[in-house]
Amino acid sequence: MKFETKQIHAGHGGDHTRSVQTPVHLTTGYSFDDTEHARRLFSLEETGYIYTRLNNPTNAALEERLAALDGGIGALAATGGHAAMVMTFMNLCSAGDEIVSASGIYGGAINLMDKTLKQFGINFKFVDAGDPGAFERATTEKTRAYFVESIGNPLADVPDLEAISKIAKKQNVVFIVDNTMASPYLLRPIEHGADLVIYSTTKYMVGNGTVMGGAIVDAGSFDYLGDPRFPAYNTPDPSYKGLVYAEALGKAAFITKLRTHILRDIGACQSPFNAWITLLGMETLSLRMERHSSNALAVAEFLEAHPAIERVNYPKLKSSPYYGLAEKYLPLGAGSTFTADLKGGREAAAKFCDGLRLLKIVANLGDLRSMVNCPALTTHSQLSDGQLLGMGIVPGSVRFSIGLENIEDIIEDLEQALKGVV
Ligand SMILES: *Cc1c(COP(=O)(O)O)cnc(C)c1O
């Protein structure tokens, strides 16, 4: 099946009521046939529903659809994008291990990596993703994974996924791609060598700014068997009668352990209600991403020609240093989140945002409503001025998330708000 068909049908196996729409299963527990049935489920001898912290039919429908759209062997839904990241890192690393990450990523993620996870002994090194060789130079015997965003938040830079994947394979480390900003319609990282794909489904997947969610999709491509750097995959797990994940589960070792070990213990399971809203949103993903991308390109072109604007960072502009990579990896469009820098600096950026009538100032993106944000004051405010400048965020930067309104109305609002700042 093609993408547009899968986004509607994948994961909905139907049920005894023959409901056309996937039902929302708001239940915590499931009754077992007898104590022997319960024992078999708990020891993983048989698969089935046990308790919603571990699995739920609505979440399973979402997980199946996510895996189908990205070409993975399985997926897991989490409370949000951050939970998906934390659980992924916990499923790969022990204290003392390292991950090499792109530096130009979501500010909240940098904070999570550089401060919070550091407290627990997982160490991140940050490199410029525009230089794939930097990942190799930062690799040590402690490195377990590389992490990049397929389109960087907020600067919309596009890393060369195939070049980084080649280095990951050579160094034998797991390649993780956060694909939140592109969505699987515009880019499928597994096709370019990613081992794991992470989402904040809160954004474009849900698409209407209602519920939080996150997900991990596993390509099943990384071989953990016999690798002493991944002891949790190769030593018996006493909580499942001595199961050795890499031996017993092969390609499904990561995604199974993520659920039966990490999700079981951390408990960051997605609410089935949120999973259901996300399934509804995903039915129209391709249509929305097309319009998001065409509206964003029109806005980027308008801004680039405006005298109050210093610079626009949108990879589908011919002036972008990422234009070639965007043509290769994002042939259908580059999504709708990017930054523009106002010539007048912080004051001009604030005046412009405050003058907008249709576009709202919001700390979210990927909504069908157009919104703006000043990253230096909000989403990236945890970072130092040096970190911000290193990423290319200046005081006059405004982040746009262009929605699905009529493009003439969007541009008219930008035009009137910019009048005051010229
Ligand atoms: C928002 C975001 C996250 C965090 O996701 P939540 O759903 O807010 O927890 C991670 N990565 C990127 C690229 C994001 O935009």
Side-chain angles (χ1 to χ4, degrees), residues 204-223:
Y204 292 101
M205 294 282 207
V206 170
N208 54 30
T210 46
V211 298
M212 302 289 300
I216 303 108
V217 181
D218 184 4
S221 48
F222 195 88
D223 188 7

Side-chain angles (χ1 to χ4, degrees), residues 266-421:
I266 300 300
C269 63
Q270 190 169 120
S271 153
F273 182 73
N274 289 16
W276 183 69
I277 298 278
T278 307
L279 281 163
L280 297 188
M282 287 171 72
E283 293 177 340
T284 56
L285 183 64
S286 63
L287 297 170
R288 288 186 288 105
M289 294 316 292
E290 277 169 12
R291 183 61 65 82
H292 274 299
S293 298
S294 62
N295 275 358
L297 180 57
V299 168
E301 284 169 348
F302 163 79
L303 291 172
E304 189 170 46
H306 198 282
I309 303 291
E310 177 82 49
R311 177 188 163 88
V312 182
N313 298 299
Y314 189 65
K316 284 284 183 177
L317 288 174
K318 296 228 166 65
S319 59
S320 166
Y322 299 102
Y323 182 75
L325 287 166
E327 288 292 285
K328 173 175 179 179
Y329 290 111
L330 298 156
L332 300 178
S336 76
T337 306
F338 62 95
T339 61
D341 305 337
L342 274 81
K343 281 183 185 158
R346 191 183 301 265
E347 211 172 287
K351 197 167 173 197
F352 163 68
C353 292
D354 293 341
L356 290 164
R357 294 174 194 148
L358 175 65
L359 280 74
K360 304 271 180 287
I361 308 172
V362 182
N364 186 24
L365 60 90
D367 194 318
L368 47 78
R369 280 155 278 260
S370 292
M371 32 192 68
V372 297
N373 195 8
C374 293
L377 302 176
T378 56
T379 49
H380 289 65
S381 60
Q382 304 105 318
L383 307 184
S384 68
D385 284 355
Q387 274 175 311
L388 287 174
L389 266 178
M391 287 178 69
I393 296 173
V394 294
S397 295
V398 175
R399 183 181 80 182
F400 292 82
S401 173
I402 299 301
L404 310 180
E405 301 95 337
N406 185 290
I407 188 62
E408 289 173 23
D409 292 333
I410 297 171
I411 290 191
E412 194 180 298
D413 192 33
L414 299 174
E415 208 155 27
Q416 66 79 23
L418 280 168
K419 265 195 195 114
V421 298

Side-chain angles (χ1 to χ4, degrees), residues 81-99:
H82 266 191
M85 291 168 72
V86 171
M87 291 199 287
T88 296
F89 302 144
M90 291 182 82
N91 205 31
L92 293 173
C93 298
S94 311
D97 289 346
E98 295 172 358
I99 292 177

